[in-house]
Amino acid sequence: MINDQAPGVPSVRDAAPSVTGSAVGRIVIGLLVLAFAGVTGLFAPLLVMASDSCSEDDARMICSAGTQQIVGGLPVGAAFVAAVLAVVGMGNRSAVGWSCLLAAPFLLVVSWVVALGLAGS
């Protein structure tokens, strides 16, 4: 018969891990962090437009080319690193995963604070 097993062959068990509340929470938090990283990467570089009112004699920090590059590039780099941290956090079940999920939004907030501080000074 088809369903009969050969003698001496162990049966194959389906031992897939069940999805627990912790896994669902980790995935939801990771997706929220990915969304925050996407918003940061798309919209934070627009803070460079704070330099539109600069004149030649303007001494504000945003009027220098180096500061404009920091304000435009820092959020994009932070968004990329935060997205990688979020993916690692969603895929890792240990304390390292939760640490990555906590570090990613912290990194994004720091990039926003620095960019807003430079654009507003």
Side-chain angles (χ1 to χ4, degrees), residues 6-7 15 23-24 28 61 68-69 72 77 79 81 83 85 90 92 94 96-97 100:
V24 171
V28 168
M61 281 188 76
Q68 290 174 7
Q69 289 187 351
V81 172
L85 286 172
M90 285 190 293
N92 198 334
S94 66
V96 174
C100 289

Side-chain angles (χ1 to χ4, degrees), residues 37-75:
V39 168
T40 299
L42 288 174
F43 295 115
L46 297 177
L47 293 172
V48 175
M49 292 191 310
S51 66
D52 286 348
S53 64
C54 291
S55 63
E56 291 181 22
D57 299 332
D58 207 342
R60 292 182 297 158
M61 281 188 76
I62 193 62
C63 295
S64 73
T67 303
Q68 290 174 7
Q69 289 187 351
I70 291 172
V71 169
L74 178 68

